[in-house]
Amino acid sequence: MLLAVLSGFIIATITPLAGKLFRSKWSVGLTAVPLALFIYFLSFIPAVSNGQVLLFNYEWVPSMGINFNFLLDGLSLLFALMITGIGALVYLYTSSYMKDDPGLDKFYGYLSLFMSAMLGMVMSDNLFTLFIFWELTSISSFFLIGFDNENKESRKAALISMALTGLGGFFLLAGFAIVANITGTYTISEMMGSGDIFKDHPLYIVIIICFFLAAFTKSAQFPFHFWLPGAMKAPTPVSTYLHSATMVKAGIYLLARFTPLLGDHIYWNNTLMIVGGITMVYAAFHSILKKDLKEILAYSTISALGMLVFLLGLGHAEAFIAMAVFIVVHALYKATLFLITGILDHETGTRDINRLSGLRKVMMPLAIAGFLAVLSNSGIPPSFGFVGKDLIYSATLHSETLAIFITVAAVVTNIFLLYSSFLAGIKPFAGKLPSEYKDVHMPDWRMWVPPLICGIAGIVFGIFPMLAEGSIIRPAVSAIAPEVPEFHLQLWHGFNTVLGLSAITIIVGILLYVIFKPNDRHNAWMNKFESFSPKSIAAGVNKLFMKFAVTWTNLLQNGYLRIYVLTVISFLTILLAYKAFTVSSLDINLTKISALTSAEVAVMVILIVSVLYAVYSPSRLAAIAAMGVIGYCICLVFIFYSAPDLAMTQFTIDTLTVILFLLVMYRLPKYVLYTNKLIRIRDAIISLIFGTLITLLALEVHHEPTNKETTRFYAENSYALAKGKNIVNVILVDFRGMDTMIEIIVLSISALGVFALLKLQLNEFDREI
C-alpha cells in the first residue's frame, strides 16, 4: 500500500531525469501507472463490500505518534477509485493533447505528484500525515494551475488558489491540533468513537470553524468560490482532473470523514446546509449566464460541490446515500464535458458557445459522448444521474426541517444545471456547421476515447445501478453513517412525488434552454454587482494589506543591514535589561572565578587591542584582519579550558569567514564614512550596554547550581543507545537528529536560492514582471 500511495512521487522524481523520453511518443506509457493503481484498488472491493476496514501501518516518527497509517474503507476506496480511474484517462488524454508542449515531462511530474498527494490524503489514518498530503495537493495544484507560467493570468490564478487553500490548510492544522489534544491520539480510526466528547466540549465551535474554513476554501464554497473559475486558465487535463474528480472534492472528503466525529449537531448540520445551499443556487444561476465553456463548467462544478455539502448538512442516511451516488455521477459527467471542451478548444481555437455549432458532422464520437454526459448531468433516464437526482429529491423531502423550501432550492439548482449541461454538451454539436469549421477533424483516439468511456460509464451504472450499489456506494455510506438502512439503487421507483419533481426539472430546464440565450447584455447586468462580489471584496482586502505591507516595509526593511542589526540588538538589550533587573537577582559570586594565568592575560590584551583596532581602523582589510585575530584569541581560550573540538570549529569558521570577507571587500571602493558622529556615539552606547548586560549574565551563571543530569544521560546512553563514542556527534545526528535535519534542509534551500540567483538571466519579459 505504501508503494501504491507513493508511486506518484517516484514518477515525479524520475520524469526530470528522463525528460526526453517523456516528451516523446512514449509518454503514453505513463498511463500504466494510474491504470495499475486503479486495478489494484479494484481488488479490494470484495473485502470492503463485505464490511471490512483494512489498516496498513508503517512507522515514520513513532515517538511523536506520526506514522504512515493508511485506512481503506468504503469512503477512501470510493475516492481512490475516482483518483486513479479518472487519472488514467487524463494521463492518456494528456499524451496527445500536450504532445507538442516542451514541458510535457514536467507536467507529468506535477500530475503524478498531485495524484499521490490525493491518494495519501484519502487513505491517511493519521491526522498529521493527512495534513501533509492535504498541503501537497495545494502545492502541486499551484504548479498545475500556473503551468503556463509566462501567462500573467495563469500565474495570478495559481497564486489566488494557493493563497485561499493555504489559508484553509492553516486552520486545518489548528483544528487537528485541538482534536489530537482532546482525544490524546493522532489516529483517526481510534478517535471515531469519541463524538460525544467533542459535542460537549467548550472548544467544539472552534474546532468546526477550523474544519469548515479548510473544507470551504478547498471545495470552493461561497464566499471562497472565486478561485475556481480563475483556475480554468490551466490546461484542460488539469481542469478535468483537479476540478471534476479530485482536488475540489478534498473538502467534501474531509467533511464526510469527520461527520461521525463532529456531525449530528445543530451547528455542524445547519452550517453545511446553509453554506451548501447558498453555493449550489448561486453558482448554478451564474453558470447559465456564461458563454465560455470552461466558465460554464467551472460554475456548474461549484454548484455541484455546494450540493454535496448541502446533502452532508441534511445529516441523515438517505442524504448520505444521495451524496455518495452524486460524487460518482458528477465525476463521470464533468470529466466527460471538460475533456470535450479541451478538444473543441484544441481543434477550433474557441470556447465561445455562440460560435460553436454543428460539430457533430465532423466529430460524431464526441457528440455521442457529450449527449451521454448531458443525460447524466440532467438526470434523464436511463443515466446514473437520474438515480442520483431522485435520491437528492427523496433526501430533501424526508428532511426534518424546511423540507419544502430545501426541495425547491434543489429543484431550481438542478434546472440551472440541466441548462448549463445543454450549453456544454449539446449546443456545440447541434445546428448547422459554420463554414469556418468544415475542415475540423477528429483528434487522435487518445483524446476522444477517454470522454466516451466516462459517458458510457454514466449510462451503464444507470441501467445496472447494482454494479455500484454493493461495491462502492453502500460501503462509502457505512463509513459516514452509524446506521445505514437497507436500500437498493434502481432506475424506476414508480409514479411518485420524486418522479414528478424529476419531470418538472427536465421540462422546465429544456424550456429554459430553448427560450434563454446567454449574451453580453446579461454579463453587463451582472457586472453592475461585481463590486459586491466576494472576489472584489477579497481583492480590496488584499490591496489594503499590500498598502500596509509597503508602509511597514519602508519603515523597518529599508535595505540597510546596520539598521536591521541595530533593531535586533536594541530589542535584545531591552529584553535582557528587563530580565536582569526584574527576574534575576544579579548576585555575582567573584570567588568562583579562577585566577588568571599569564597566558590568559596575554590573550585578553591581544583580544582587547584587536577589538579597538577593528572599531577605529580606517581600512576595511585591516578591520577584517583584526576580527580574525579576535576569533583566534577565542580559539585559544577554548584550548585553555580543555575544549579542543570547539577550538577547531571556531578556527575553521573564523578562517573561512576572514577569507570570504577579504574576497568580497577587496572589490569594494575605498572606505567611506556614511554616518555622522552622533550616529556612531549612539551605536557605541548600545553596544556597550549590550556587552555589559551579557557580561553580567555570564558572571551570574556561576551563582546558579550546576545540574549534571543531562550530561550524565548523554554520557551513559550515547554508546548504549546510539552506538557512538563521540557524545557531541551522537547528540547532533541521533538524539537531536530532527533538529540537524531541519538545519540541513534550511541550508540546502538557502544554497539553492543563492545558486538560482547566480544563474539568473533576466530577459525583457522578466524585467517587466
Side-chain angles (χ1 to χ4, degrees):
M1 181 60 72
L2 183 63
L3 179 61
V5 172
L6 300 182
S7 58
F9 295 118
I10 297 171
I11 297 298
T13 305
I14 293 173
T15 49
L17 303 177
K20 187 175 180 180
L21 176 66
F22 294 122
R23 287 194 297 269
S24 67
K25 62 181 180 180
W26 297 106
S27 62
V28 69
L30 287 173
T31 306
V33 177
L35 181 60
L37 292 174
F38 179 69
I39 295 170
Y40 173 70
F41 284 111
L42 281 176
S43 67
F44 290 104
I45 286 180
V48 174
S49 61
N50 287 329
Q52 294 185 38
V53 176
L54 306 177
L55 296 173
F56 305 85
N57 299 319
Y58 306 92
E59 288 190 348
W60 185 22
V61 191
S63 61
M64 298 176 64
I66 303 174
N67 299 303
F68 280 115
N69 295 341
F70 298 121
L71 179 147
L72 190 64
D73 61 0
L75 185 63
S76 54
L77 181 60
L78 169 63
F79 277 85
L81 289 173
M82 283 198 308
I83 293 164
T84 54
I86 301 294
L89 297 177
V90 169
Y91 271 63
L92 179 63
Y93 181 93
T94 300
S95 66
S96 177
Y97 184 84
M98 300 185 66
K99 63 182 179 181
D100 297 324
D101 195 303
L104 180 58
D105 55 329
K106 184 172 65 174
F107 185 82
Y108 270 120
Y110 296 154
L111 207 61
S112 300
L113 177 65
F114 176 80
M115 179 182 69
S116 270
M118 279 299 303
L119 280 175
M121 193 204 74
V122 302
M123 300 287 294
S124 287
D125 191 35
N126 184 282
L127 289 179
F128 281 104
T129 52
L130 192 157
F131 171 75
I132 289 170
F133 285 119
W134 176 281
E135 289 299 279
L136 284 173
T137 62
S138 297
I139 294 169
S140 53
S141 66
F142 168 79
F143 289 120
L144 288 167
I145 294 170
F147 182 73
D148 184 10
N149 50 41
E150 292 189 359
N151 184 310
K152 183 179 180 181
E153 292 301 318
S154 293
R155 296 196 304 272
K156 182 179 178 181
L159 286 171
I160 291 174
S161 68
M162 185 66 176
L164 277 174
T165 56
L167 177 67
F170 169 79
F171 284 102
L172 181 64
L173 179 61
F176 279 175
I178 300 172
V179 167
N181 184 60
I182 294 173
T183 60
T185 180
Y186 296 123
T187 305
I188 297 172
S189 56
E190 291 179 1
M191 62 178 67
M192 278 303 159
S194 309
D196 292 336
I197 298 176
F198 284 98
K199 291 160 193 172
D200 298 329
H201 199 278
L203 291 176
Y204 176 75
I205 295 177
V206 176
I207 294 170
I208 64 172
I209 288 174
C210 289
F211 275 75
F212 287 158
L213 288 172
F216 294 165
T217 52
K218 198 80 160 184
S219 289
Q221 297 299 288
F222 184 90
F224 307 107
H225 64 283
F226 55 86
W227 70 265
L228 185 54
M232 294 299 144
K233 303 296 180 184
T236 296
V238 176
S239 302
T240 304
Y241 200 28
L242 273 66
H243 306 139
S244 69
T246 51
M247 178 183 162
V248 291
K249 289 195 174 78
I252 307 300
Y253 172 83
L254 179 73
L255 295 173
R257 174 58 73 196
F258 286 90
T259 287
L261 188 68
L262 303 172
D264 197 24
H265 189 285
I266 187 171
Y267 294 156
W268 176 273
N269 290 350
N270 285 0
T271 303
L272 294 181
M273 191 163 60
I274 292 170
V275 173
I278 292 172
T279 302
M280 70 183 190
V281 177
Y282 174 88
F285 174 71
H286 274 264
S287 70
I288 71 173
L289 302 176
K290 303 300 177 181
K291 298 188 300 176
D292 184 284
L293 282 171
K294 272 198 170 184
E295 285 192 347
I296 293 169
L297 296 178
Y299 278 101
S300 63
T301 297
I302 296 169
S303 179
L305 294 170
M307 181 76 76
L308 293 171
V309 172
F310 171 76
L311 291 170
L312 277 170
L314 293 182
H316 53 81
E318 198 168 1
F320 297 151
I321 296 167
M323 184 208 70
V325 171
F326 191 59
I327 286 175
V328 179
V329 170
H330 178 258
L332 292 175
Y333 77 67
K334 193 53 62 72
T336 303
L337 294 175
F338 266 121
L339 293 174
I340 290 174
T341 296
I343 295 172
L344 296 179
D345 189 18
H346 188 272
E347 299 298 326
T348 66
T350 183
R351 299 195 301 261
D352 189 338
I353 56 170
N354 291 332
R355 294 178 56 190
L356 295 171
S357 64
L359 290 172
R360 71 188 185 284
K361 296 179 181 179
V362 289
M363 295 180 171
M364 182 53 74
L366 279 185
I368 294 171
F371 177 71
L372 296 178
V374 167
L375 290 180
S376 199
N377 192 350
S378 305
I380 299 174
S383 68
F384 200 37
F386 177 74
V387 178
K389 187 174 63 178
D390 276 9
L391 289 170
I392 291 171
Y393 290 157
S394 179
T396 57
L397 287 171
H398 294 148
S399 176
E400 295 180 359
T401 56
L402 303 173
I404 296 177
F405 177 77
I406 61 177
T407 300
V408 170
V411 170
V412 171
T413 299
N414 278 319
I415 289 172
F416 290 153
L417 289 180
L418 182 147
Y419 176 89
S420 64
S421 72
F422 270 60
L423 289 180
I426 299 293
K427 175 71 170 60
F429 303 102
K432 183 180 178 181
L433 180 68
S435 58
E436 60 183 309
Y437 300 139
K438 286 183 179 179
D439 294 330
V440 170
H441 56 82
M442 281 293 293
D444 185 80
W445 67 272
R446 290 172 292 175
M447 291 177 66
W448 62 263
V449 167
L452 193 59
I453 291 174
C454 289
I456 292 172
I459 300 301
V460 170
F461 282 130
I463 298 173
F464 306 104
M466 68 288 299
L467 294 174
E469 177 189 312
S471 58
I472 53 175
I473 302 301
R474 189 183 301 277
V477 177
S478 299
I480 306 172
E483 296 181 4
V484 182
E486 187 65 25
F487 70 91
H488 295 286
L489 300 181
Q490 49 190 356
L491 197 62
W492 179 253
H493 290 273
F495 293 98
N496 52 30
T497 305
V498 170
L499 181 64
L501 292 174
S502 292
I504 291 172
T505 302
I506 295 169
I507 294 170
V508 175
I510 293 174
L511 287 174
L512 183 64
Y513 174 74
V514 172
I515 297 170
F516 182 78
K517 304 297 179 184
N519 55 48
D520 293 333
R521 185 166 51 85
H522 299 133
N523 282 327
W525 178 76
M526 286 298 298
N527 288 336
K528 294 178 181 179
F529 306 97
E530 182 64 25
S531 58
F532 303 103
S533 69
K535 181 179 179 180
S536 297
I537 293 172
V541 172
N542 179 65
K543 189 177 292 184
L544 289 174
F545 182 80
M546 290 299 294
K547 188 178 293 185
F548 168 77
V550 169
T551 304
W552 187 258
T553 301
N554 291 337
L555 178 65
L556 296 179
Q557 303 289 324
N558 52 21
Y560 292 103
L561 181 60
R562 60 180 180 271
I563 301 299
Y564 303 159
V565 174
L566 178 67
T567 303
V568 173
I569 295 297
S570 299
F571 175 77
L572 287 176
T573 301
I574 295 170
L575 191 64
L576 288 171
Y578 172 78
K579 186 78 172 177
F581 294 104
T582 58
V583 179
S584 177
S585 61
L586 285 178
D587 187 2
I588 300 171
N589 189 353
L590 298 177
T591 61
K592 291 188 176 183
I593 300 175
S594 60
L596 293 172
T597 65
S598 57
E600 291 171 351
V601 170
V603 169
M604 289 301 107
V605 170
I606 295 171
L607 193 149
I608 292 170
V609 172
S610 298
V611 169
L612 293 173
Y613 189 79
V615 171
Y616 290 104
S617 173
S619 168
R620 288 197 189 92
L621 297 181
I624 293 168
M627 292 294 292
V629 172
I630 294 169
Y632 292 145
C633 288
I634 294 172
C635 291
L636 291 173
V637 172
F638 287 146
I639 291 174
F640 292 158
Y641 288 91
S642 303
D645 53 343
L646 292 178
M648 288 302 297
T649 303
Q650 182 73 24
F651 176 81
T652 305
I653 292 172
D654 266 295
T655 302
L656 181 61
T657 303
V658 168
I659 293 172
L660 290 174
F661 267 118
L662 285 173
L663 290 173
V664 173
M665 296 296 186
Y666 184 74
R667 298 289 183 181
L668 293 179
K670 189 178 178 180
Y671 191 84
V672 179
L673 285 175
Y674 286 101
T675 57
N676 57 40
K677 189 174 181 179
L678 289 176
I679 292 177
R680 291 197 296 276
I681 292 173
R682 178 202 65 187
D683 294 345
I685 292 172
I686 293 175
S687 300
L688 286 171
I689 294 173
F690 182 72
T692 302
L693 287 169
I694 292 294
T695 303
L696 291 174
L697 291 175
L699 290 171
E700 191 184 359
V701 168
H702 288 281
H703 187 67
E704 295 295 322
T706 304
N707 189 335
K708 297 286 187 179
E709 182 180 352
T710 304
T711 304
R712 286 193 298 271
F713 171 82
Y714 287 126
E716 294 169 0
N717 293 285
S718 289
Y719 187 77
L721 297 179
K723 308 303 179 187
K725 295 182 179 179
N726 187 312
I727 296 177
V728 175
N729 288 350
V730 169
I731 292 173
L732 289 175
V733 303
D734 198 295
F735 291 111
R736 300 191 65 179
M738 184 66 72
D739 293 347
T740 304
M741 184 186 73
I742 292 172
E743 289 169 3
I744 292 171
I745 291 172
V746 170
L747 289 173
S748 300
I749 293 172
S750 301
L752 288 173
V754 172
F755 179 76
L757 288 173
L758 291 173
K759 294 292 184 180
L760 182 63
Q761 294 181 357
L762 293 177
N763 54 34
E764 291 302 320
F765 171 75
D766 296 320
R767 291 190 180 94
E768 288 178 7
I769 297 172

